[in-house]
Each structure stands twice: as C-alpha cells, then as structure tokens.
Amino acid sequence: MESVQTDTATLTLNGAEYELPLSIGTEDEVGVDINTLRSESGAITLDPGYGNTGSCESAITFINGEEGVLRYRGYPIGELAEKSSFVEVCYLLINGELPTQDELDDFRHKLTYHSLLHEDMKKFFEGYPPSAPPMSVLSAMVAAMSAYYPTGDEEVVDLNIIRLLAKLKTLAAFAYKKSIGQPYVYPQNRHSYTEDFLHTMFAVPSEDYEVPDVLEEALDMLLILHADHEQNCSASTVRMVGSSGASLFASVSAGIGALSGPLHGGANTEVIRMLEEIHEAGGDSSKYVEKAKDSDDPFRLMGFGHRVYKNMDPRAEIIKSTADRVLDELGLDDPLLDIARHLEEAALEDDYFIERSLYPNVDFYSGILYRAMGLPTEMFTVMFSMGRLPGWIAQWKEMRNDEATRIYRPRQVYVGAAERDYTPIEQR
Ligand code: SDX
C-alpha cells in the first residue's frame, strides 16, 4: 500500500462536505476517525460484523491479512514460536517488552506460587454433570474468581492478572478431572507452567507421571501461537465488557463465552468432528469440499477461512509442520492428518476457495496436535482459552489505560415500525 499523502478524508453527504481526520498506523494502515461524524452530519456508519471498523488504536498485535503477517509487540510469530516460551510471551504481551532474566524469573515465580485454587472453589465443580461443556464450566469459574479476589487499586489489578494467568490452567485441569471422575492433581512448584498443566491433566495418584519433553514443547508452542490476535470476536468482547468498568474476571469470563462459538475458537473441535465424520464415511474428502461450496448447504469447511487472513494463516503453517514432527516423534500415525492434508490440497485448488481467499486457519491443524497429546476433543477450545488468556489480559489492560476509551455503545439504523397507537386486544 502506498504511503498516505493527506491527513484527512472528505465525506460528501446531502451536499455538505465533512473533513474527517485520519489515524495512520505504524505500518501505514489508515483509519478514518468518525468521532465527530454524527454530531456534525447526523449520520452514522453501518458495518455489520465490524469487518471494516476499528474499535481502537492498539500497540499489542499487528496482522497483515493479505500477506499472512502476525507480530506480537513487533516480534514475528515465527520467531517467538521458535525461540521464546509461553510464559515469556505472556510477559511480552501484557507488559509490552521482553523481560530481563530477573523479570522473567520473578514472573515465573509468581505464576508458580499463585497456581492453587481456593479450596472452596472445588465445591463449584461438584454441581456439574460429567457431560458439562468445559468452556461453560471455565467461564463460570473465572467469573466466580471475582468472589474470592475482588478488584481494587492498580496493585490489586496486577495481582489479579497473575492469579488469573496462574489459576486458569488449574481450573481447566480440575474441570477435566471432574468430567472423567478422577481425583484432582494439584499443581507442583517444581514444574514449568506448561509442564504443570499437562501433569495436572494426566497424572494419577496411583503412579508417577513425567511429562514427555516433546509434549511440553509442542503445547508451549501452541499456546504461543494462540496468545493474541488483535481485535477478534473474543478480545473485542473482553474490551467491551471491561469498558463498562467490569472486573478482569467478568471481562475474561465473557471472552471465554465468545471464544466457545463454533465460528471462533470452537472451530478446533468442529474440525476434528468433521475429519472424523469424513474418516468414518470412508475418507473421501471431495464430497465435503462440494458440500462446503453449496450455498444451500449450511455445512462449512471448519478450520477454513478467516475475516482477516486472505492468505495462509501463519499459525496454521507452523502447526502443520509441528504436527508432522510430533506424530513422528511419538510414533503415531493419525489418519485424520492425511484427510486434513487432502482436504487442504483439494480446497486450495478449487476456484470457490481461491476466489474467496479461503485458507486453513489456526484451528485447522491444531486439533491433530491436541489429539496426539492425548487431550480429549471437548478440551480443545479450553486449550485455545489458555493460550489466548494473555492476549485478553493485554487488550483489557490497554483498553483500561487508554484515555480515548469510552464505554462501548454502538449505534444502529432503526428499520422497525414507524410510530403507531396501541390497539386494544379486542380490536386486533
Ligand atoms: C478463529 O478473528 C480472529 O482473529 C479469529 C481467530 C483468532 O485467533 O482469534 O483467528 C480464531 O476464530 C479462526 C476462525 C475459526 N472458524 C472457522 O474455521 C469456521 C469456518 N470459517 C467460517 O465460518 C468463516 O470463514 C469465518 C467465520 C472464519 C469468517 O467469516 P466471515 O469473515 O464473516 O466470512 P463470510 O462468512 O462472509 O464468508 C465469505 C464467503 C461466503 O461465501 P459467499 O456468500 O461470498 O458466496 O466465503 C464463504 C462464505 O460462505 N466461506 C466459506 C467458509 N468460510 C467462508 N465457505 C465454506 N467453508 C468455509 N469455512
């Protein structure tokens, strides 16, 4: 895109001209600031799904969807996935800079020593049936944290950020253990963050369990890849709820709800169910490509397409190559991976997908890796929540500290009935 020459946009409406200031981003992205549009012209803009509307200026994550670029605080996702750790990326997203060794050690220590739940919170799990969707349990538990850790001044807010980062993985593991009728496994301070999650998920009191390095490394990388993605549906939800002054826990609880939808984070679960259905039907993916193209058929190729990426999602490429390596190291051969590859090849050669720039997104291959780790399908979106948590926190914190923030309150164009008188029921 050529660099911007002017600093205003001109809107002509009903014969009048309105000069609207421009917001120019680090990478020369252009935002037309319509803050004064309604007060000056009486008109609003209309953009269902906000596909062309910026809600804020943000310094956290940059995406170039046309070129498949993703950076956290300026660092390319590929470098972070290869060289960093999830805990370090949490620090980077929330604080804006990579930590020094002392800062990282202190951050790790805090996350380790705040990973226990208040014992009374275990009672909440007892009320859930084993079939309770883990995302609804997680959302409720995070909201319940407000009861144990009320908000307060900035020092309390910062401590609650640590508490949430430290305890979400424990809540996730406890929800899983409750769902399979196994005893809870408590966090162990000797473990790293990701190692401790896998240990609380898979250890049992009756035998020692050492987390395999290959699983810890693969999961740590997956959590990094999911850590933030600018103003996606769930991050925008966290910002919207937080803009009313609601607590971090209330805001993130709402974000978990948004992420659970099958068009958003719930897609990773739907992808595996789609691949299993294809596998059980004999493995012919071409029929499903045709179904996805049929506008009369509600079926969509789950894990494909993206509002922003009109090129390959860089995260999908990293996950796909990691799936090959991990399955090889574990000596696993997952037929669903072959089906996924054939599906990708078929779709990327098909005009329907090419014309609409539909490529695999972060959810297309992630489920294959989660399966290889032994995670149950219903926990896949919970994994997405664990990865996205530092991003939600960073977005919430940036929103709170931004002087431009006002309570989110979009307008509308009313298309309902014009004014009319009430008619008594006997006259209807
Ligand atoms: C995530 O925003 C983020 O950053 C999200 C995320 C993050 O990190 O936070 O990246 C994570 O949510 C990834 C997306 C996971 N969802 C899925 O994989 C579900 C399947 N994908 C689609 O439902 C869809 O692609 C969305 C929801 C991802 C994007 O929807 P849009 O931007 O509203 O696009 P659209 O529905 O307007 O589709 C445009 C066209 C339509 O066809 P036409 O009406 O032009 O004929 O593309 C078609 C759609 O029918 N289309 C698909 C398709 N996705 C879009 N057709 C078949 N299969 C698909 N997957």
Side-chain angles (χ1 to χ4, degrees):
M1 180 190 305
E2 62 195 37
S3 62
V4 180
Q5 302 306 320
T6 63
D7 56 8
T8 61
T10 304
L11 174 73
T12 302
L13 180 63
N14 299 332
E17 283 201 348
Y18 302 92
E19 290 299 308
L20 299 170
L22 300 182
S23 165
I24 310 299
T26 307
E27 303 291 336
D28 281 339
E29 322 98 275
V30 176
V32 178
D33 183 336
I34 56 171
N35 240 323
T36 59
L37 179 64
R38 187 172 181 279
S39 59
E40 289 179 4
S41 72
I44 63 167
T45 57
L46 191 59
D47 185 20
Y50 304 129
N52 305 284
T53 297
S55 63
C56 60
E57 292 180 334
S58 178
I60 299 169
T61 292
F62 173 73
I63 300 173
N64 179 322
E66 285 66 33
E67 295 174 19
V69 171
L70 170 58
R71 301 188 202 122
Y72 296 160
R73 300 287 187 180
Y75 296 97
I77 189 66
E79 282 195 59
L80 292 171
E82 183 189 343
K83 301 171 183 172
S84 187
S85 67
F86 179 60
V87 168
E88 184 175 71
V89 166
C90 289
Y91 185 100
L92 170 67
L93 285 169
I94 294 168
N95 297 292
E97 298 295 336
L98 287 170
T100 62
Q101 189 61 59
D102 288 347
E103 288 166 337
L104 183 58
D105 293 345
D106 174 58
F107 188 60
R108 282 190 198 284
H109 182 272
K110 285 172 181 168
L111 294 182
T112 299
Y113 285 84
H114 282 279
S115 57
L116 282 175
L117 303 184
H118 190 294
E119 278 293 298
D120 288 351
M121 285 197 80
K122 289 186 341 185
K123 296 188 183 82
F124 297 152
F125 288 104
E126 302 318 311
Y128 282 104
S131 59
M135 283 292 276
S136 58
V137 174
L138 197 67
S139 178
M141 287 297 175
V142 168
M145 285 180 72
S146 300
Y148 292 85
Y149 312 108
T151 192
D153 62 17
E154 282 315 294
E155 197 173 322
V156 172
V157 167
D158 288 341
L159 178 54
N160 281 347
I161 285 174
I162 291 291
R163 283 168 169 151
L164 183 53
L165 273 171
K167 297 177 195 302
L168 190 81
K169 61 181 176 60
T170 311
L171 286 168
F174 276 31
Y176 171 63
K177 286 296 196 187
K178 172 64 174 59
S179 74
I180 59 174
Q182 283 189 3
Y184 303 127
V185 173
Y186 278 65
Q188 297 294 318
N189 293 345
R190 68 175 184 278
H191 290 150
S192 73
Y193 187 94
T194 304
E195 178 188 19
D196 195 55
F197 169 71
L198 290 169
H199 186 264
T200 50
M201 279 285 291
F202 296 129
V204 288
S206 46
E207 60 186 28
D208 292 337
Y209 172 75
E210 285 297 317
V211 175
D213 291 345
V214 64
L215 293 191
E216 180 186 356
E217 289 158 12
L219 181 57
D220 206 69
M221 182 273 298
L222 277 168
L223 294 174
I224 291 173
L225 294 176
H226 286 81
D228 191 57
H229 215 238
E230 54 139 280
Q231 305 312 312
N232 58 83
C233 179
S234 54
S236 297
T237 301
V238 169
R239 278 181 172 258
M240 176 170 271
V241 172
S243 74
S244 74
S247 74
L248 171 69
F249 302 128
S251 305
V252 169
S253 171
I256 293 170
L259 188 72
S260 68
L263 295 185
H264 193 10
N268 59 18
T269 305
E270 296 304 320
V271 168
I272 291 298
R273 289 184 177 138
M274 173 182 74
L275 295 175
E276 284 172 337
E277 184 182 327
I278 296 172
H279 181 55
E280 283 151 25
D284 175 13
S285 51
S286 56
K287 184 178 78 172
Y288 288 81
V289 171
E290 293 310 311
K291 270 172 67 72
K293 294 159 58 179
D294 179 356
S295 56
D296 296 327
D297 188 328
F299 174 80
R300 286 198 159 184
L301 212 50
M302 300 313 279
F304 253 77
H306 200 276
R307 172 64 58 77
V308 175
Y309 288 123
K310 301 310 171 190
N311 201 321
M312 190 72 168
D313 183 332
R315 302 168 296 177
E317 288 183 300
I318 297 170
I319 294 172
K320 180 180 177 182
S321 60
T322 306
D324 281 329
R325 176 172 57 78
V326 169
L327 266 72
D328 188 42
E329 283 189 39
L330 293 173
L332 297 176
D333 178 21
D334 188 345
L336 301 192
L337 181 56
D338 296 333
I339 293 173
R341 282 206 197 93
H342 289 139
L343 210 48
E344 178 186 1
E345 284 162 19
L348 296 186
E349 289 166 2
D350 189 292
D351 288 344
Y352 173 91
F353 292 86
I354 294 167
E355 287 159 9
R356 293 167 178 79
S357 302
L358 301 177
Y359 292 86
N361 57 48
V362 68
D363 293 309
F364 191 64
Y365 285 104
S366 54
I368 302 282
L369 259 180
Y370 292 139
R371 267 163 64 93
M373 289 174 198
L375 288 158
T377 304
E378 59 274 9
M379 284 291 286
F380 289 2
T381 311
V382 169
M383 306 311 300
F384 197 144
S385 302
M386 279 176 52
R388 186 51 51 88
L389 180 59
W392 286 333
I393 291 171
Q395 298 285 348
W396 182 83
K397 199 176 165 188
E398 183 177 71
M399 175 278 300
R400 284 179 88 247
N401 296 333
D402 183 348
E403 289 173 6
T405 295
R406 301 165 68 201
I407 185 170
Y408 280 33
R409 204 288 186 200
R411 295 288 183 141
Q412 63 166 25
V413 173
Y414 175 69
V415 293
E419 184 174 3
R420 51 185 170 170
D421 295 330
Y422 179 82
T423 48
I425 194 163
E426 56 275 9
Q427 293 176 19
R428 290 176 208 157

